[in-house]
Amino acid sequence: MPDTRNVRLTVAYDGGEFRGFAESEGVRTVLGDLRRAVETVVRGPVVLTGAGRTDAGVHGWGQVISGELPAATDLGRLERSLNGLCGPDISVRDVAWVDASFSARFSATGRTYRYHVWNDPVANPLLARTSWHVPPPLDLTAMNAAAESLLGEHDFTSFCRRPKPAAGFDEPSLVRHLYDARWTQADHDQWGKLLLRFEITASSFCHQMVRSIVGTLVDVGLGRRAAESIAATLAARDRAAAGQVAPPTGLVLWSVDYRGERWDA
């Protein structure tokens, strides 16, 4: 068996053409396309691990992938070849050898997502694939006040799609540590104050957590619920207590952090 080394890839993708990130039989996925492309380049089977699973329609800018490749692999050629095979839907932004103990998933200490909202009565066709169109005006001050209630360590059951435990195992914990969550006007000269950005960083996220938080905070911004209600929503530990689930189009896995210790170590 040839010698192998552990590799780390930083990947961006437009999720609109995929049925999610993780491989799934019979449908096109980001990891499926990447794995097949890597196997074409190295001429052999590989196993790849991603830092996080994103749903159908969700995008990535700083997704991280790791796996064992033949030690003789030319990483410069690999990067060029993968971008030729996978572009323009997938772009490999960086490739590097890493320590054998590194795992894109299990070594991660934090993850940051961004969500964009186009807040104008008239839709923006140029942003339709990468934002959520919300026509009525939104109250960013109220949305940020509500977001502050989410900071810290909480059980986020109210904002997560409950996972199905594997046979013989308990239901996974939905306790997470949320480090930052804030709304701003995106720094974009062309779109002015109409493009809103929500950035959220946590130890990790459970299924649909970010989209549920965004949808609930948008409800606050529309005046459908009070900013002060978010603490009670968390305490309810009931998905029905939260608001709408925002569409996947506006969501981007922005970056993955590997500094320090895992919160749940």
Side-chain angles (χ1 to χ4, degrees):
M1 183 175 181
D3 290 339
T4 62
R5 293 183 67 183
N6 197 21
V7 72
R8 166 177 166 168
L9 297 86
T10 304
V11 177
Y13 50 89
D14 180 336
E17 301 301 320
F18 299 96
R19 292 289 298 275
F21 174 79
E23 292 205 52
S24 182
E25 188 175 354
V27 297
R28 187 184 181 205
T29 68
V30 177
L31 192 59
D33 272 23
L34 268 171
R35 177 187 55 77
R36 286 187 289 272
V38 172
E39 290 178 341
T40 297
V41 177
V42 304
R43 299 182 181 181
V46 298
V47 176
L48 301 177
T49 300
R53 300 164 67 99
T54 54
D55 290 338
V58 176
H59 313 293
W61 175 249
Q63 174 72 272
V64 177
I65 297 168
S66 62
E68 294 286 326
L69 298 185
T73 301
D74 181 329
L75 295 188
R77 174 176 173 271
L78 175 69
E79 182 176 343
R80 293 189 297 271
S81 298
L82 292 180
N83 283 325
L85 291 168
C86 297
D89 295 331
I90 301 173
S91 174
V92 177
R93 298 173 51 215
D94 182 67
V95 184
W97 296 119
V98 289
D99 187 83
S101 63
F102 177 82
S103 166
R105 178 184 176 190
F106 295 108
S107 299
T109 57
R111 296 162 177 82
T112 296
Y113 281 85
R114 286 185 176 181
Y115 195 100
H116 288 97
V117 171
W118 177 249
N119 190 212
D120 188 67
V122 180
N124 187 334
L126 300 184
L127 296 178
R129 287 175 65 94
T130 57
S131 66
W132 177 19
H133 179 212
V134 179
L138 292 168
D139 184 343
L140 253 65
T141 300
M143 292 159 71
N144 275 321
E148 287 185 9
S149 299
L150 300 170
L151 300 180
E153 183 179 326
H154 303 286
D155 185 324
F156 282 92
T157 296
S158 293
F159 294 96
C160 296
R161 186 173 180 178
R162 189 175 293 277
K164 295 180 180 179
F169 289 88
D170 294 334
E171 189 170 282
S173 170
L174 298 181
V175 173
R176 300 291 189 272
H177 193 105
L178 205 159
Y179 302 114
D180 192 30
R182 67 185 67 192
W183 288 89
T184 58
Q185 293 168 343
D187 184 14
H188 199 305
D189 293 339
Q190 184 176 359
W191 309 130
K193 298 179 180 180
L194 302 178
L195 184 63
L196 308 181
R197 174 182 296 156
F198 180 61
E199 185 162 295
I200 184 169
T201 300
S203 54
S204 62
F205 293 89
C206 45
H207 193 197
Q208 292 190 348
M209 177 174 162
V210 180
R211 290 167 56 199
S212 296
I213 289 174
V214 169
T216 302
L217 296 181
V218 165
D219 282 347
V220 170
L222 292 171
R224 295 173 179 170
R225 60 173 64 213
E228 297 78 15
S229 69
I230 301 302
T233 300
L234 268 173
R237 298 184 184 179
D238 182 354
R239 183 66 191 85
Q244 60 184 319
V245 178
T249 51
L251 186 59
V252 184
L253 174 54
W254 191 252
S255 63
V256 184
D257 195 0
Y258 294 94
R259 297 169 296 177
E261 298 292 328
R262 279 178 56 117
W263 162 79
D264 57 350

